[in-house]
Amino acid sequence: MKRSLILCLVVALTGCTPLPGKNPASAAVEPDALPPMVTFASPRPSPPSGSNTDIARDFLDLSFRLESGRDLPILTRFEGPIRVRVTGAPPPTLRGDLDRLLLRLRDEAGLDIATTSSSTAEITIQAVSRRNIQRVLPTAACFVVPNVTSLTEYRRLQRSNSITWSRLQRRKHLAIFVPNDVSPQEIRDCLHEELAQAIGPLNDLYRLPDSVFNDDNMHTVLTGYDMLLLRTYNHPSLRNGMTRDEVTARLPAILASLNPEGEGRASRPLQETPRAWIHAIETALGPGASETERMQAGKEAVRIATELGWTDHRRAFSHFAMGRLLRGTDPDAAQLEILRADRFYAKSPQTKLHRAYVASQLAAHAIAQGNGAEALNLLRPHLDTAARHENAALLATLMLLRVEALELVGRRTEAEALLLDSLGWARYGFGEDWAVFAKMHEISALNPQHKNTGGS
């Protein structure tokens, strides 16, 4: 299984990266004097909010199907303690983020999981360059494979049945390959997604609004819902080799004990996501397609979602993707699509994070129109949401947008202070100093006050 290279929905706001320039706020920041990187301290996951009936259905579809749509005959997992080792060339932030993740898995999912230096570890995390990952899987940001311990071994066995998930009888050892030359947040996101699939379900479902087990990449760290899934997957009532029917029979009692709040909630099942919609979304936002193909695919995703009568987050995501595609060529049409996305996201309390992404797009448009007051109103509810979900790239983006909005309404002192606060998060979210400054200047270029100051 792999974390796909669906285009980051928060990095690009304008469709291109402007040439560096300085505005009154950014002039206070020297290129060699960025503040220290900031990271998140204590996790604040929200508990799962769905009914146990719906969670059971999701669990079965996640556990007995691959992302390709192929069914899995039996449940496979590790039995006993799980030990994790790190090899390759890990960057400094990887081990700290891994330790925090393992602590959460022990506390929230009840797993006996810890790091080790032994070569007999159940899970090996190898940190390699992004280029090396894409030489073997061009569309993957990172991935997990059974029965290997290194990328060299994976290359040797790439066409072998021994690394095929559908033929696996039990999980004994596996490898996770993560890039070591991307931003700290990208590496952490890979750890969360790939380690979750290493010890839990292998599938992703677009119908899940509050989970990393969803290829829309909205959630980047494990949620309360995800921790319930992992606790269920590793429950002592289940075992290796169980069929879907056998697991189905055990699930009601397991979920009733682990999630009693879900027993009294009404079932609100969402319909299956057709492969045609998935293909359209992945073409529109993934690598390899031309601009024309992306646009056609985006329109197709909206058409399918509309004809199916969806009103959930997938309908919203269809419009959001279309808005992103249109931003560089038709800002007014893009704005209408983003507004449509927000209307559908607003229908559910489970999509606060999604609305924070939307707010970044709406606020960018307001700033480009010179309307700082509107941008401030749009941004205000969402900074804490980004922080709660530990998304530094989104948080820094929202803060930088707020800097420009404050500039527009004449609150320059506040803007300068907020800019400095934002850059510590930007260093974690975007990585290298050049990427931080590129993001800062990209957002600064939206502000019409800077059009004649070199910031365009």
Side-chain angles (χ1 to χ4, degrees), residues 75-91:
L75 181 119
T76 64
R77 69 179 193 186
F78 290 108
E79 299 289 357
I82 302 171
R83 296 296 174 257
V84 182
R85 69 167 178 159
V86 177
T87 65

Side-chain angles (χ1 to χ4, degrees), residues 67-332:
E67 291 177 46
S68 64
R70 182 175 182 177
D71 288 338
L72 290 169
I74 59 172
L75 181 119
T76 64
R77 69 179 193 186
F78 290 108
E79 299 289 357
I82 302 171
R83 296 296 174 257
V84 182
R85 69 167 178 159
V86 177
T87 65
T93 59
L94 186 150
R95 293 185 185 274
D97 281 333
L98 177 61
D99 287 343
R100 282 187 284 274
L101 172 56
L102 296 184
L103 177 61
R104 284 193 63 197
L105 291 171
R106 290 192 292 270
D107 289 349
E108 299 175 46
L111 297 174
D112 182 353
I113 188 168
T115 56
T116 183
S117 59
S118 173
S119 61
T120 62
E122 283 73 25
I123 298 174
T124 298
I125 298 173
Q126 186 178 25
V128 298
S129 70
R130 171 178 276 182
R131 177 177 295 181
N132 281 335
I133 288 175
Q134 292 177 2
R135 280 174 179 165
V136 294
L137 282 181
T139 62
C142 43
F143 64 103
V144 57
V145 182
N147 297 329
V148 300
T149 59
S150 70
L151 199 59
T152 300
E153 189 177 6
Y154 172 71
R155 288 193 191 100
R156 181 168 56 83
L157 298 174
Q158 197 165 2
R159 303 186 187 283
S160 167
N161 287 333
S162 65
I163 61 170
T164 302
W165 287 104
S166 60
R167 292 176 177 267
L168 207 63
Q169 297 297 307
R170 61 182 299 144
R171 301 184 197 183
K172 297 180 181 179
H173 64 271
L174 52 79
I176 295 171
F177 304 109
V178 300
N180 59 11
D181 52 1
V182 297
S183 74
Q185 178 168 314
E186 288 181 75
I187 298 167
R188 181 211 62 186
D189 296 351
C190 279
L191 291 175
H192 276 250
E193 182 162 337
E194 302 307 330
L195 195 53
Q197 292 193 316
I199 59 179
L202 297 169
N203 194 12
D204 284 320
L205 295 172
Y206 277 101
R207 72 172 184 256
L208 303 181
D210 54 347
S211 175
V212 302
F213 291 96
N214 185 328
D215 272 334
D216 66 10
N217 290 352
M218 289 287 186
H219 286 276
T220 57
V221 299
L222 291 169
T223 67
Y225 174 92
D226 297 328
M227 289 297 181
L228 175 61
L229 289 178
L230 294 175
R231 186 180 283 270
T232 302
Y233 200 90
N234 292 278
H235 194 274
S237 294
L238 303 181
R239 65 178 185 277
N240 265 299
M242 277 189 161
T243 65
R244 183 177 180 124
D245 287 345
E246 290 173 326
V247 173
T248 300
R250 302 285 180 93
L251 273 183
I254 294 172
L255 289 173
S257 66
L258 297 180
N259 188 43
E261 295 84 359
E263 287 295 286
R265 294 179 182 139
S267 173
R268 294 184 175 87
L270 296 180
Q271 62 183 263
E272 296 283 342
T273 308
R275 299 300 303 179
W277 183 87
I278 294 173
H279 176 71
I281 284 291
E282 291 177 349
T283 301
L285 298 177
S290 69
E291 289 303 311
T292 299
E293 290 170 333
R294 290 186 196 281
M295 197 67 67
Q296 291 173 341
K299 292 176 181 177
E300 178 68 2
V302 170
R303 184 193 66 78
I304 292 171
T306 303
E307 289 186 356
L308 289 173
W310 287 349
T311 59
D312 57 60
H313 58 282
R314 295 170 297 178
R315 174 71 178 274
F317 190 61
S318 304
H319 291 293
F320 188 51
M322 197 66 217
R324 285 289 296 109
L325 293 170
L326 288 166
R327 181 64 77 191
T329 57
D330 192 341
D332 291 336

Side-chain angles (χ1 to χ4, degrees), residues 34 37 182-185 425-436:
L34 284 176
M37 181 186 298
V182 297
S183 74
Q185 178 168 314
W425 295 113
R427 295 190 76 176
Y428 184 80
F430 299 113
E432 299 289 343
D433 289 358
W434 67 263
V436 173

Side-chain angles (χ1 to χ4, degrees), residues 344-414:
F344 285 106
Y345 279 137
K347 293 178 180 290
S348 171
Q350 294 177 305
T351 52
K352 289 182 179 179
L353 178 61
H354 307 64
R355 296 195 74 194
Y357 282 99
V358 168
S360 71
Q361 301 292 319
L362 296 177
H365 186 268
I367 290 167
Q369 300 299 312
N371 194 335
E374 181 183 354
L376 289 173
N377 287 332
L378 288 165
L379 294 165
R380 187 173 293 111
H382 301 294
L383 272 73
D384 183 66
T385 298
R388 173 179 288 277
H389 291 89
E390 301 185 35
N391 193 323
L394 176 59
L395 178 59
T397 298
L398 296 173
M399 293 172 79
L400 288 168
L401 288 165
R402 184 171 167 81
V403 167
E404 299 307 323
L406 289 169
E407 285 274 351
L408 284 169
V409 298
R411 293 158 61 181
R412 185 163 297 171
T413 301
E414 288 180 64

